[in-house]
Amino acid sequence: MDLKTFEQKLLKDPEFKKEYYNKDLAFEIGQMLIEARIIKGLTQTKLAVMVNTKQSGIARAENGSTLPSLSFLKKIAEALHTH
């Protein structure tokens, strides 16, 4: 069985499918956060101070392992003057 066939088989499972697409979205959001923060010349610690959170919260949002809440993303976007 090739990788594509195996992937299609796994995606038939609703729980797997949900997690699969959530991880992709979380990863993409994390990458966008990293890029926006670096463009603004900020460290995770400086951004954390700006949004009144801990550096570890910024790191979790950036590493793509979990999907950050919309309210948290809004705070970050406001701090970075972006959308």
Side-chain angles (χ1 to χ4, degrees), residues 39-57:
I39 287 171
K40 297 292 182 173
L42 298 171
T43 63
Q44 288 180 346
T45 303
K46 287 181 183 178
L47 179 57
V49 169
M50 294 170 73
V51 296
N52 195 28
T53 193
K54 295 180 180 179
Q55 176 273 332
S56 59

Side-chain angles (χ1 to χ4, degrees), residues 27-40 42 44 47 58-59 61-64 80:
F27 178 79
E28 288 181 39
I29 289 171
Q31 293 301 300
M32 290 189 302
L33 292 174
I34 292 168
E35 184 179 342
R37 178 178 57 77
I38 290 172
I39 287 171
K40 297 292 182 173
L42 298 171
Q44 288 180 346
L47 179 57
I58 301 298
E62 288 184 354
N63 76 20
L80 296 173

Side-chain angles (χ1 to χ4, degrees), residues 25-26 29 32-33 51 61 66-79 82-83:
L25 179 59
I29 289 171
M32 290 189 302
L33 292 174
V51 296
T66 60
L67 195 57
S69 70
L70 290 177
S71 62
F72 188 62
L73 291 174
K74 183 179 178 187
K75 288 179 186 179
I76 292 173
E78 289 172 353
T82 189
H83 59 279

